mmCIF file of all heavy atoms in Angstrom:
data_model
loop_
_atom_site.group_PDB
_atom_site.id
_atom_site.type_symbol
_atom_site.label_atom_id
_atom_site.label_comp_id
_atom_site.label_asym_id
_atom_site.label_seq_id
_atom_site.Cartn_x
_atom_site.Cartn_y
_atom_site.Cartn_z
ATOM 1 N N ILE E 1 -0.873 -5.215 -4.304
ATOM 2 C CA ILE E 1 0.122 -4.160 -4.067
ATOM 3 C C ILE E 1 1.095 -4.594 -2.976
ATOM 4 O O ILE E 1 2.312 -4.445 -3.123
ATOM 5 C CB ILE E 1 -0.570 -2.841 -3.667
ATOM 6 C CG1 ILE E 1 -1.427 -2.316 -4.820
ATOM 7 C CG2 ILE E 1 0.455 -1.792 -3.254
ATOM 8 C CD1 ILE E 1 -2.400 -1.221 -4.407
ATOM 9 N N ILE E 2 0.573 -5.140 -1.894
ATOM 10 C CA ILE E 2 1.413 -5.570 -0.773
ATOM 11 C C ILE E 2 2.357 -6.685 -1.198
ATOM 12 O O ILE E 2 3.542 -6.676 -0.853
ATOM 13 C CB ILE E 2 0.535 -5.991 0.424
ATOM 14 C CG1 ILE E 2 -0.180 -4.757 0.983
ATOM 15 C CG2 ILE E 2 1.344 -6.691 1.497
ATOM 16 C CD1 ILE E 2 -1.358 -5.074 1.873
ATOM 17 N N GLU E 3 1.870 -7.642 -1.962
ATOM 18 C CA GLU E 3 2.724 -8.740 -2.439
ATOM 19 C C GLU E 3 3.845 -8.206 -3.328
ATOM 20 O O GLU E 3 5.008 -8.606 -3.173
ATOM 21 C CB GLU E 3 1.896 -9.759 -3.214
ATOM 22 C CG GLU E 3 1.014 -10.613 -2.349
ATOM 23 C CD GLU E 3 0.109 -11.536 -3.157
ATOM 24 O OE1 GLU E 3 -0.045 -11.323 -4.381
ATOM 25 O OE2 GLU E 3 -0.437 -12.467 -2.550
ATOM 26 N N CYS E 4 3.520 -7.309 -4.226
ATOM 27 C CA CYS E 4 4.512 -6.728 -5.130
ATOM 28 C C CYS E 4 5.542 -5.919 -4.340
ATOM 29 O O CYS E 4 6.748 -6.037 -4.563
ATOM 30 C CB CYS E 4 3.800 -5.859 -6.174
ATOM 31 S SG CYS E 4 4.853 -5.232 -7.481
ATOM 32 N N PHE E 5 5.084 -5.112 -3.422
ATOM 33 C CA PHE E 5 5.964 -4.294 -2.582
ATOM 34 C C PHE E 5 6.884 -5.168 -1.736
ATOM 35 O O PHE E 5 8.089 -4.893 -1.631
ATOM 36 C CB PHE E 5 5.121 -3.371 -1.704
ATOM 37 C CG PHE E 5 5.906 -2.586 -0.705
ATOM 38 C CD1 PHE E 5 6.828 -1.634 -1.111
ATOM 39 C CD2 PHE E 5 5.715 -2.777 0.653
ATOM 40 C CE1 PHE E 5 7.545 -0.900 -0.187
ATOM 41 C CE2 PHE E 5 6.423 -2.044 1.583
ATOM 42 C CZ PHE E 5 7.347 -1.106 1.172
ATOM 43 N N ALA E 6 6.355 -6.223 -1.153
ATOM 44 C CA ALA E 6 7.164 -7.130 -0.330
ATOM 45 C C ALA E 6 8.283 -7.759 -1.157
ATOM 46 O O ALA E 6 9.424 -7.846 -0.694
ATOM 47 C CB ALA E 6 6.280 -8.213 0.285
ATOM 48 N N LYS E 7 7.961 -8.169 -2.380
ATOM 49 C CA LYS E 7 8.984 -8.756 -3.261
ATOM 50 C C LYS E 7 10.053 -7.726 -3.611
ATOM 51 O O LYS E 7 11.245 -8.031 -3.580
ATOM 52 C CB LYS E 7 8.354 -9.280 -4.549
ATOM 53 C CG LYS E 7 7.695 -10.613 -4.419
ATOM 54 C CD LYS E 7 7.205 -11.081 -5.766
ATOM 55 C CE LYS E 7 6.415 -12.366 -5.636
ATOM 56 N NZ LYS E 7 5.864 -12.802 -6.919
ATOM 57 N N GLN E 8 9.635 -6.516 -3.956
ATOM 58 C CA GLN E 8 10.582 -5.461 -4.342
ATOM 59 C C GLN E 8 11.554 -5.144 -3.212
ATOM 60 O O GLN E 8 12.739 -4.924 -3.453
ATOM 61 C CB GLN E 8 9.849 -4.166 -4.718
ATOM 62 C CG GLN E 8 9.146 -4.191 -6.033
ATOM 63 C CD GLN E 8 8.359 -2.905 -6.267
ATOM 64 O OE1 GLN E 8 8.061 -2.145 -5.346
ATOM 65 N NE2 GLN E 8 8.000 -2.681 -7.519
ATOM 66 N N GLN E 9 11.051 -5.102 -1.996
ATOM 67 C CA GLN E 9 11.859 -4.687 -0.855
ATOM 68 C C GLN E 9 12.463 -5.851 -0.070
ATOM 69 O O GLN E 9 13.231 -5.623 0.862
ATOM 70 C CB GLN E 9 11.016 -3.831 0.094
ATOM 71 C CG GLN E 9 10.582 -2.517 -0.509
ATOM 72 C CD GLN E 9 11.776 -1.673 -0.914
ATOM 73 O OE1 GLN E 9 12.694 -1.454 -0.141
ATOM 74 N NE2 GLN E 9 11.764 -1.211 -2.152
ATOM 75 N N GLY E 10 12.094 -7.062 -0.420
ATOM 76 C CA GLY E 10 12.593 -8.221 0.313
ATOM 77 C C GLY E 10 12.047 -8.273 1.728
ATOM 78 O O GLY E 10 12.728 -8.710 2.659
ATOM 79 N N LEU E 11 10.808 -7.816 1.896
ATOM 80 C CA LEU E 11 10.163 -7.801 3.209
ATOM 81 C C LEU E 11 9.222 -8.990 3.353
ATOM 82 O O LEU E 11 8.752 -9.539 2.358
ATOM 83 C CB LEU E 11 9.338 -6.518 3.366
ATOM 84 C CG LEU E 11 10.068 -5.189 3.329
ATOM 85 C CD1 LEU E 11 9.076 -4.038 3.277
ATOM 86 C CD2 LEU E 11 10.976 -5.053 4.534
ATOM 87 N N SER E 12 8.931 -9.321 4.589
ATOM 88 C CA SER E 12 7.884 -10.321 4.822
ATOM 89 C C SER E 12 6.545 -9.683 4.481
ATOM 90 O O SER E 12 6.416 -8.451 4.456
ATOM 91 C CB SER E 12 7.888 -10.765 6.287
ATOM 92 O OG SER E 12 7.440 -9.698 7.117
ATOM 93 N N LEU E 13 5.554 -10.515 4.230
ATOM 94 C CA LEU E 13 4.226 -9.976 3.946
ATOM 95 C C LEU E 13 3.678 -9.200 5.136
ATOM 96 O O LEU E 13 3.006 -8.181 4.963
ATOM 97 C CB LEU E 13 3.263 -11.097 3.543
ATOM 98 C CG LEU E 13 3.512 -11.713 2.167
ATOM 99 C CD1 LEU E 13 2.569 -12.890 1.944
ATOM 100 C CD2 LEU E 13 3.351 -10.677 1.072
ATOM 101 N N ASP E 14 3.988 -9.656 6.348
ATOM 102 C CA ASP E 14 3.528 -8.951 7.553
ATOM 103 C C ASP E 14 4.122 -7.550 7.639
ATOM 104 O O ASP E 14 3.422 -6.587 7.945
ATOM 105 C CB ASP E 14 3.879 -9.736 8.816
ATOM 106 C CG ASP E 14 3.015 -10.957 9.013
ATOM 107 O OD1 ASP E 14 1.905 -10.998 8.440
ATOM 108 O OD2 ASP E 14 3.449 -11.866 9.736
ATOM 109 N N ALA E 15 5.430 -7.437 7.361
ATOM 110 C CA ALA E 15 6.096 -6.131 7.414
ATOM 111 C C ALA E 15 5.567 -5.216 6.310
ATOM 112 O O ALA E 15 5.331 -4.026 6.545
ATOM 113 C CB ALA E 15 7.605 -6.298 7.280
ATOM 114 N N ALA E 16 5.366 -5.766 5.122
ATOM 115 C CA ALA E 16 4.837 -4.977 4.010
ATOM 116 C C ALA E 16 3.413 -4.513 4.306
ATOM 117 O O ALA E 16 3.051 -3.361 4.037
ATOM 118 C CB ALA E 16 4.882 -5.790 2.719
ATOM 119 N N LEU E 17 2.614 -5.399 4.889
ATOM 120 C CA LEU E 17 1.236 -5.057 5.246
ATOM 121 C C LEU E 17 1.205 -3.946 6.286
ATOM 122 O O LEU E 17 0.446 -2.982 6.162
ATOM 123 C CB LEU E 17 0.505 -6.290 5.778
ATOM 124 C CG LEU E 17 -0.902 -6.070 6.321
ATOM 125 C CD1 LEU E 17 -1.845 -5.662 5.206
ATOM 126 C CD2 LEU E 17 -1.395 -7.341 6.996
ATOM 127 N N SER E 18 2.051 -4.054 7.286
ATOM 128 C CA SER E 18 2.112 -3.046 8.335
ATOM 129 C C SER E 18 2.485 -1.682 7.762
ATOM 130 O O SER E 18 1.850 -0.677 8.083
ATOM 131 C CB SER E 18 3.117 -3.467 9.400
ATOM 132 O OG SER E 18 3.214 -2.480 10.395
ATOM 133 N N PHE E 19 3.504 -1.655 6.913
ATOM 134 C CA PHE E 19 3.900 -0.383 6.315
ATOM 135 C C PHE E 19 2.785 0.167 5.433
ATOM 136 O O PHE E 19 2.480 1.358 5.482
ATOM 137 C CB PHE E 19 5.198 -0.524 5.511
ATOM 138 C CG PHE E 19 5.629 0.790 4.917
ATOM 139 C CD1 PHE E 19 6.258 1.737 5.702
ATOM 140 C CD2 PHE E 19 5.340 1.097 3.598
ATOM 141 C CE1 PHE E 19 6.620 2.979 5.175
ATOM 142 C CE2 PHE E 19 5.697 2.332 3.066
ATOM 143 C CZ PHE E 19 6.337 3.271 3.853
ATOM 144 N N PHE E 20 2.190 -0.700 4.638
ATOM 145 C CA PHE E 20 1.131 -0.272 3.720
ATOM 146 C C PHE E 20 -0.013 0.405 4.467
ATOM 147 O O PHE E 20 -0.482 1.468 4.065
ATOM 148 C CB PHE E 20 0.614 -1.479 2.921
ATOM 149 C CG PHE E 20 -0.518 -1.137 1.995
ATOM 150 C CD1 PHE E 20 -0.294 -0.451 0.818
ATOM 151 C CD2 PHE E 20 -1.818 -1.509 2.297
ATOM 152 C CE1 PHE E 20 -1.346 -0.133 -0.041
ATOM 153 C CE2 PHE E 20 -2.872 -1.196 1.455
ATOM 154 C CZ PHE E 20 -2.624 -0.508 0.278
ATOM 155 N N HIS E 21 -0.449 -0.187 5.558
ATOM 156 C CA HIS E 21 -1.604 0.352 6.287
ATOM 157 C C HIS E 21 -1.319 1.678 6.981
ATOM 158 O O HIS E 21 -2.256 2.369 7.389
ATOM 159 C CB HIS E 21 -2.166 -0.666 7.271
ATOM 160 C CG HIS E 21 -3.103 -1.621 6.615
ATOM 161 N ND1 HIS E 21 -4.342 -1.255 6.171
ATOM 162 C CD2 HIS E 21 -2.957 -2.925 6.290
ATOM 163 C CE1 HIS E 21 -4.931 -2.287 5.612
ATOM 164 N NE2 HIS E 21 -4.112 -3.316 5.667
ATOM 165 N N HIS E 22 -0.059 2.049 7.099
ATOM 166 C CA HIS E 22 0.299 3.337 7.685
ATOM 167 C C HIS E 22 0.799 4.316 6.629
ATOM 168 O O HIS E 22 1.278 5.398 6.976
ATOM 169 C CB HIS E 22 1.359 3.143 8.775
ATOM 170 C CG HIS E 22 0.848 2.374 9.940
ATOM 171 N ND1 HIS E 22 1.013 1.013 10.055
ATOM 172 C CD2 HIS E 22 0.132 2.761 11.017
ATOM 173 C CE1 HIS E 22 0.436 0.604 11.168
ATOM 174 N NE2 HIS E 22 -0.111 1.645 11.773
ATOM 175 N N SER E 23 0.684 3.955 5.365
ATOM 176 C CA SER E 23 1.246 4.775 4.284
ATOM 177 C C SER E 23 0.256 5.796 3.734
ATOM 178 O O SER E 23 -0.959 5.652 3.869
ATOM 179 C CB SER E 23 1.713 3.868 3.139
ATOM 180 O OG SER E 23 0.588 3.319 2.464
ATOM 181 N N GLU E 24 0.815 6.806 3.090
ATOM 182 C CA GLU E 24 -0.003 7.791 2.391
ATOM 183 C C GLU E 24 -0.662 7.165 1.171
ATOM 184 O O GLU E 24 -1.780 7.540 0.811
ATOM 185 C CB GLU E 24 0.849 8.980 1.979
ATOM 186 C CG GLU E 24 1.288 9.842 3.142
ATOM 187 C CD GLU E 24 2.091 11.040 2.691
ATOM 188 O OE1 GLU E 24 1.779 11.621 1.638
ATOM 189 O OE2 GLU E 24 3.039 11.391 3.413
ATOM 190 N N VAL E 25 0.033 6.244 0.530
ATOM 191 C CA VAL E 25 -0.521 5.568 -0.654
ATOM 192 C C VAL E 25 -1.835 4.883 -0.284
ATOM 193 O O VAL E 25 -2.838 5.019 -0.995
ATOM 194 C CB VAL E 25 0.490 4.553 -1.243
ATOM 195 C CG1 VAL E 25 -0.153 3.708 -2.324
ATOM 196 C CG2 VAL E 25 1.718 5.270 -1.781
ATOM 197 N N TYR E 26 -1.844 4.165 0.821
ATOM 198 C CA TYR E 26 -3.070 3.500 1.274
ATOM 199 C C TYR E 26 -4.182 4.507 1.520
ATOM 200 O O TYR E 26 -5.328 4.301 1.105
ATOM 201 C CB TYR E 26 -2.794 2.686 2.543
ATOM 202 C CG TYR E 26 -4.046 2.177 3.212
ATOM 203 C CD1 TYR E 26 -4.851 1.226 2.603
ATOM 204 C CD2 TYR E 26 -4.440 2.662 4.450
ATOM 205 C CE1 TYR E 26 -6.006 0.761 3.208
ATOM 206 C CE2 TYR E 26 -5.592 2.206 5.063
ATOM 207 C CZ TYR E 26 -6.367 1.257 4.435
ATOM 208 O OH TYR E 26 -7.513 0.817 5.045
ATOM 209 N N GLN E 27 -3.856 5.611 2.188
ATOM 210 C CA GLN E 27 -4.863 6.628 2.482
ATOM 211 C C GLN E 27 -5.451 7.213 1.207
ATOM 212 O O GLN E 27 -6.661 7.433 1.122
ATOM 213 C CB GLN E 27 -4.265 7.728 3.344
ATOM 214 C CG GLN E 27 -3.924 7.270 4.744
ATOM 215 C CD GLN E 27 -3.202 8.335 5.548
ATOM 216 O OE1 GLN E 27 -3.119 9.488 5.141
ATOM 217 N NE2 GLN E 27 -2.663 7.942 6.680
ATOM 218 N N LEU E 28 -4.604 7.455 0.216
ATOM 219 C CA LEU E 28 -5.092 8.020 -1.049
ATOM 220 C C LEU E 28 -6.012 7.040 -1.774
ATOM 221 O O LEU E 28 -7.054 7.436 -2.303
ATOM 222 C CB LEU E 28 -3.914 8.405 -1.940
ATOM 223 C CG LEU E 28 -3.066 9.571 -1.450
ATOM 224 C CD1 LEU E 28 -1.832 9.724 -2.322
ATOM 225 C CD2 LEU E 28 -3.867 10.856 -1.411
ATOM 226 N N ILE E 29 -5.626 5.776 -1.794
ATOM 227 C CA ILE E 29 -6.460 4.774 -2.455
ATOM 228 C C ILE E 29 -7.783 4.631 -1.705
ATOM 229 O O ILE E 29 -8.854 4.648 -2.309
ATOM 230 C CB ILE E 29 -5.742 3.409 -2.525
ATOM 231 C CG1 ILE E 29 -4.474 3.506 -3.365
ATOM 232 C CG2 ILE E 29 -6.672 2.345 -3.100
ATOM 233 C CD1 ILE E 29 -3.579 2.282 -3.267
ATOM 234 N N ARG E 30 -7.694 4.482 -0.397
ATOM 235 C CA ARG E 30 -8.875 4.296 0.441
ATOM 236 C C ARG E 30 -9.869 5.443 0.302
ATOM 237 O O ARG E 30 -11.077 5.237 0.254
ATOM 238 C CB ARG E 30 -8.443 4.157 1.895
ATOM 239 C CG ARG E 30 -9.586 3.923 2.868
ATOM 240 C CD ARG E 30 -9.167 4.144 4.285
ATOM 241 N NE ARG E 30 -8.780 5.551 4.436
ATOM 242 C CZ ARG E 30 -7.975 6.006 5.381
ATOM 243 N NH1 ARG E 30 -7.452 5.189 6.260
ATOM 244 N NH2 ARG E 30 -7.675 7.291 5.449
ATOM 245 N N ASP E 31 -9.340 6.668 0.217
ATOM 246 C CA ASP E 31 -10.187 7.855 0.141
ATOM 247 C C ASP E 31 -10.638 8.177 -1.279
ATOM 248 O O ASP E 31 -11.379 9.140 -1.482
ATOM 249 C CB ASP E 31 -9.466 9.057 0.744
ATOM 250 C CG ASP E 31 -9.194 8.880 2.239
ATOM 251 O OD1 ASP E 31 -9.855 8.027 2.875
ATOM 252 O OD2 ASP E 31 -8.325 9.594 2.760
ATOM 253 N N GLY E 32 -10.184 7.403 -2.263
ATOM 254 C CA GLY E 32 -10.611 7.600 -3.637
ATOM 255 C C GLY E 32 -10.014 8.832 -4.302
ATOM 256 O O GLY E 32 -10.576 9.359 -5.254
ATOM 257 N N VAL E 33 -8.868 9.282 -3.817
ATOM 258 C CA VAL E 33 -8.222 10.469 -4.368
ATOM 259 C C VAL E 33 -7.627 10.158 -5.738
ATOM 260 O O VAL E 33 -6.898 9.173 -5.906
ATOM 261 C CB VAL E 33 -7.115 10.984 -3.408
ATOM 262 C CG1 VAL E 33 -6.341 12.134 -4.025
ATOM 263 C CG2 VAL E 33 -7.734 11.394 -2.080
ATOM 264 N N SER E 34 -7.939 10.996 -6.692
ATOM 265 C CA SER E 34 -7.371 10.916 -8.049
ATOM 266 C C SER E 34 -7.503 9.540 -8.690
ATOM 267 O O SER E 34 -6.666 9.154 -9.497
ATOM 268 C CB SER E 34 -5.893 11.325 -8.039
ATOM 269 O OG SER E 34 -5.757 12.646 -7.618
ATOM 270 N N ASP E 35 -8.505 8.796 -8.317
ATOM 271 C CA ASP E 35 -8.709 7.449 -8.866
ATOM 272 C C ASP E 35 -7.449 6.586 -8.769
ATOM 273 O O ASP E 35 -7.094 5.857 -9.688
ATOM 274 C CB ASP E 35 -9.196 7.529 -10.314
ATOM 275 C CG ASP E 35 -10.615 8.042 -10.415
ATOM 276 O OD1 ASP E 35 -11.360 7.904 -9.432
ATOM 277 O OD2 ASP E 35 -10.985 8.568 -11.474
ATOM 278 N N MET E 36 -6.758 6.687 -7.635
ATOM 279 C CA MET E 36 -5.533 5.911 -7.432
ATOM 280 C C MET E 36 -5.789 4.414 -7.583
ATOM 281 O O MET E 36 -4.913 3.681 -8.020
ATOM 282 C CB MET E 36 -4.950 6.180 -6.034
ATOM 283 C CG MET E 36 -4.338 7.544 -5.853
ATOM 284 S SD MET E 36 -2.749 7.722 -6.644
ATOM 285 C CE MET E 36 -1.693 6.845 -5.512
ATOM 286 N N HIS E 37 -6.989 3.975 -7.248
ATOM 287 C CA HIS E 37 -7.302 2.549 -7.350
ATOM 288 C C HIS E 37 -7.300 2.067 -8.804
ATOM 289 O O HIS E 37 -7.255 0.868 -9.054
ATOM 290 C CB HIS E 37 -8.642 2.243 -6.685
ATOM 291 C CG HIS E 37 -9.795 2.919 -7.343
ATOM 292 N ND1 HIS E 37 -10.128 4.234 -7.066
ATOM 293 C CD2 HIS E 37 -10.686 2.482 -8.262
ATOM 294 C CE1 HIS E 37 -11.182 4.557 -7.799
ATOM 295 N NE2 HIS E 37 -11.543 3.522 -8.516
ATOM 296 N N CYS E 38 -7.301 2.995 -9.748
ATOM 297 C CA CYS E 38 -7.282 2.626 -11.171
ATOM 298 C C CYS E 38 -5.861 2.412 -11.700
ATOM 299 O O CYS E 38 -5.683 1.888 -12.798
ATOM 300 C CB CYS E 38 -7.967 3.703 -12.014
ATOM 301 S SG CYS E 38 -9.721 3.867 -11.661
ATOM 302 N N MET E 39 -4.859 2.834 -10.930
ATOM 303 C CA MET E 39 -3.464 2.666 -11.337
ATOM 304 C C MET E 39 -3.079 1.186 -11.213
ATOM 305 O O MET E 39 -3.672 0.440 -10.451
ATOM 306 C CB MET E 39 -2.537 3.510 -10.459
ATOM 307 C CG MET E 39 -2.866 4.971 -10.434
ATOM 308 S SD MET E 39 -2.649 5.684 -12.071
ATOM 309 C CE MET E 39 -3.105 7.364 -11.761
#
């Protein structure tokens, strides 16, 4: 996900990783909400 997001936004992997770890998307996947990890 981070690699794909970094490419889409033209971000470094570090910047994409930082944003990802503070995102709602990460929290939903981590917490198993709505089987987000299956998307």
Side-chain angles (χ1 to χ4, degrees):
I1 296 166
I2 292 163
E3 287 175 345
C4 187
F5 174 65
K7 280 184 186 177
Q8 286 176 342
Q9 295 300 309
L11 298 171
S12 69
L13 289 175
D14 286 338
L17 174 67
S18 178
F19 181 78
F20 177 75
H21 276 289
H22 294 95
S23 71
E24 289 182 37
V25 171
Y26 170 67
Q27 292 174 11
L28 292 172
I29 297 169
R30 181 195 63 203
D31 296 341
V33 174
S34 298
D35 289 336
M36 289 285 283
H37 63 277
C38 295
M39 304 296 180

